[in-house]
Amino acid sequence: MLGKADHEEKQEVAEAPRVDVEDTAEGMVARLSGHWTTRTIAGVDKEMRDLEASSTTLPMIVDLGAVDRIDTAGAWVIERLIAANRRRDIETSVEGATKSAEILLGA
């Protein structure tokens, strides 16, 4: 018999965070999706760190339109990418953020 915690864990796994990167003529687009929460964020931490260390100097759009859930841990990882880009003078913009994501990213 599955308890509430088991059900929540299965739901979180089904909505694991993803990072899909596309190079365009204008720069790089990082499309984030799924649940960006404390329980799931470890699944994309290495990929996000790789993006932070990439050698590109092109502008980056971080598209949050498909992020279903976000908490402070998820926002922190996204903000870490934005800050790394700023340190390297890479123009970075965020698109598709919900009001709560905007609040967390601005914190």
Side-chain angles (χ1 to χ4, degrees):
M1 178 173 204
L2 294 177
K4 182 179 177 185
D6 293 323
H7 175 71
E8 289 174 358
E9 183 177 332
K10 284 187 177 192
Q11 185 178 6
E12 290 287 344
V13 170
E15 297 295 332
R18 287 189 48 162
V19 180
D20 296 305
V21 179
E22 176 185 357
D23 290 319
T24 68
E26 297 81 30
M28 183 182 292
V29 179
R31 288 188 176 84
L32 312 185
S33 60
H35 293 185
W36 285 67
T37 63
T38 302
R39 295 181 119 180
T40 63
I41 203 67
V44 291
D45 186 60
K46 180 183 179 333
E47 193 170 359
M48 291 295 282
R49 288 180 188 274
D50 290 346
L51 267 178
E52 292 167 28
S54 91
S55 60
T56 187
T57 58
L58 297 173
M60 179 184 287
I61 297 171
V62 180
D63 182 355
L64 303 181
V67 172
D68 298 318
R69 289 186 186 169
I70 188 169
D71 66 10
T72 52
W76 185 82
V77 170
I78 295 166
E79 184 58 37
R80 189 181 68 195
L81 170 64
I82 295 167
N85 284 349
R86 286 186 187 137
R87 283 191 301 275
R88 297 183 304 143
D89 293 323
I90 296 173
E91 180 185 334
T92 305
S93 60
V94 176
E95 296 181 356
T98 63
K99 186 68 175 167
S100 58
E102 287 176 0
I103 291 167
L104 288 169
L105 288 169

